[in-house]
Amino acid sequence: MNLVLLGPPGVGKGTQANHLAKEFDFKLISTGDILRNQVQKNTTLGLKAKKFVKIGKLVPDNIILDIIVTHTKNNHPYIFDGFPRTVKQAMGLEHTTKKRGLSLDAVIYLYCNENVIIERLSKRRVCPLCGKIYNLITNPPKNGNKCDLCNESLKQREDDREEIIKNRLKIYQRQTMPLLEFYEQKRILHKIDGSKPEKQVYETIRDVILKERSD
Ligand code: AP5
């Protein structure tokens, strides 16, 4: 089965996607992680994407859809984190999956209010080596500012500054929210309260997946 995690910045998509990928053996496709990696390596794609990511604007659809085509060549079950983000991207995903005789089985929409999001993102820290996501309040590292897994110094994302977070939220409202109706009409949208504790959110998503699998 193939799954999309949809929702505003900071709602917990990356956190949940990483756990789900491990338990259910999904191949995780996070367009945000792919773009940040390319930016860090100064590749052609990274140089094109940098100016958008830095200010919290969406990278153009054609660039994102090329990334998806490149990263979904095998018949693996996929979990998409942060993709699609526009109706055009959703139509592109539909086209790609149909061409390979596959389908998108469930879209998990995590929702949460803006104050919680701003608080979470300003306290988020990420390991630049393994990508593990922390939160200084709700999920702090055990040893100061070091990653529990690889002992690397944790970093704050450049786009986690308050004015950029507010811009990302505005763009989310304008460009990504229309996807709710798009997927509601296809009857594959599942709405889950992302403000609940991490474990509880995980259990709820897990139930949806197990039910979808048994149908
Ligand atoms: P991307 O990396 O996708 O960022 P985002 O969607 O803004 O989402 P985040 O990664 O900020 O948050 P999240 O929901 O994954 O939350 P997390 O689990 O980390 O995109 C970045 C940029 O790349 C975009 O702005 C754009 O420029 C570009 N881009 C990417 N994809 C694109 C696309 N498809 N099209 C065009 N452009 C694209 O959790 C956040 C914090 O909360 C953490 O500290 C975590 O520990 C904590 N937390 C998580 N869950 C809980 C919980 N239940 N309770 C308490 N704390 C929690």
Side-chain angles (χ1 to χ4, degrees), residues 7-16 31-33 35-36 52-53 56-59 64 81-85 89 120-121 123-125 133-135 138-139 157 159-160 168 194-198 201:
V11 72
K13 302 180 298 295
T15 301
Q16 299 296 339
T31 42
D33 285 347
L35 291 168
R36 277 184 292 279
F52 298 99
V53 177
K57 271 182 112 177
L58 293 189
V59 172
I64 298 294
D81 159 22
F83 169 85
R85 266 174 144 99
Q89 290 181 19
R120 279 186 186 177
L121 289 182
K123 300 282 180 332
R124 171 166 62 185
R125 297 293 181 273
I133 303 165
Y134 295 87
N135 188 283
T138 57
N139 184 19
R157 261 170 56 176
D159 60 349
D160 277 351
R168 286 159 64 198
S195 68
K196 301 284 186 215
E198 198 180 306
V201 176

Side-chain angles (χ1 to χ4, degrees), residues 15 38 66 75 87-88 100 113 115 131 183 199:
T15 301
Q38 296 291 316
D66 283 349
N75 269 5
V87 171
K88 191 164 172 209
R100 294 186 180 141
N113 82 47
N115 295 337
Y183 285 125
K199 259 201 169 146

Side-chain angles (χ1 to χ4, degrees), residues 8-11 110-120 169 173 193-195:
V11 72
L110 298 176
Y111 58 89
C112 188
N113 82 47
E114 288 202 4
N115 295 337
V116 174
I117 284 171
I118 293 171
E119 172 67 13
R120 279 186 186 177
L169 285 166
Q173 291 285 339
D193 185 353
S195 68

Side-chain angles (χ1 to χ4, degrees), residues 1 23-26 77 105 206-215:
M1 84 181 280
E23 179 176 350
F24 292 98
D25 203 24
F26 285 117
D105 305 285
R206 200 171 176 273
D207 288 348
V208 170
I209 295 175
L210 293 175
K211 185 168 181 310
E212 284 294 324
R213 276 188 162 183
S214 67
D215 283 350

Side-chain angles (χ1 to χ4, degrees), residues 26-156:
F26 285 117
K27 182 164 180 346
L28 170 57
I29 310 278
S30 159
T31 42
D33 285 347
I34 293 170
L35 291 168
R36 277 184 292 279
N37 187 271
Q38 296 291 316
V39 169
Q40 203 194 1
K41 290 181 178 156
N42 271 322
T43 61
T44 312
L45 167 62
L47 291 171
K48 277 188 204 158
K50 190 174 181 173
K51 57 179 186 280
F52 298 99
V53 177
K54 225 175 137 181
I55 56 168
K57 271 182 112 177
L58 293 189
V59 172
D61 290 331
N62 60 328
I63 297 181
I64 298 294
L65 289 169
D66 283 349
I67 293 177
I68 295 300
V69 170
T70 313
H71 283 79
T72 55
K73 293 223 158 108
N74 300 321
N75 269 5
H76 216 282
Y78 289 100
I79 182 164
F80 296 96
D81 159 22
F83 169 85
R85 266 174 144 99
T86 63
V87 171
K88 191 164 172 209
Q89 290 181 19
M91 289 165 74
L93 175 62
E94 209 168 64
H95 179 76
T96 308
T97 45
K98 256 191 201 151
K99 235 169 97 179
R100 294 186 180 141
L102 306 169
S103 61
L104 177 60
D105 305 285
V107 175
I108 307 289
Y109 166 53
L110 298 176
Y111 58 89
C112 188
N113 82 47
E114 288 202 4
N115 295 337
V116 174
I117 284 171
I118 293 171
E119 172 67 13
R120 279 186 186 177
L121 289 182
S122 57
K123 300 282 180 332
R124 171 166 62 185
R125 297 293 181 273
V126 184
C127 175
L129 259 192
C130 70
K132 186 168 165 57
I133 303 165
Y134 295 87
N135 188 283
L136 298 182
I137 307 297
T138 57
N139 184 19
K142 293 191 181 87
N143 180 16
N145 192 42
K146 303 275 187 195
C147 177
D148 297 348
L149 303 180
C150 44
N151 210 33
E152 185 72 17
S153 293
L154 303 179
K155 293 259 154 56
Q156 184 163 25

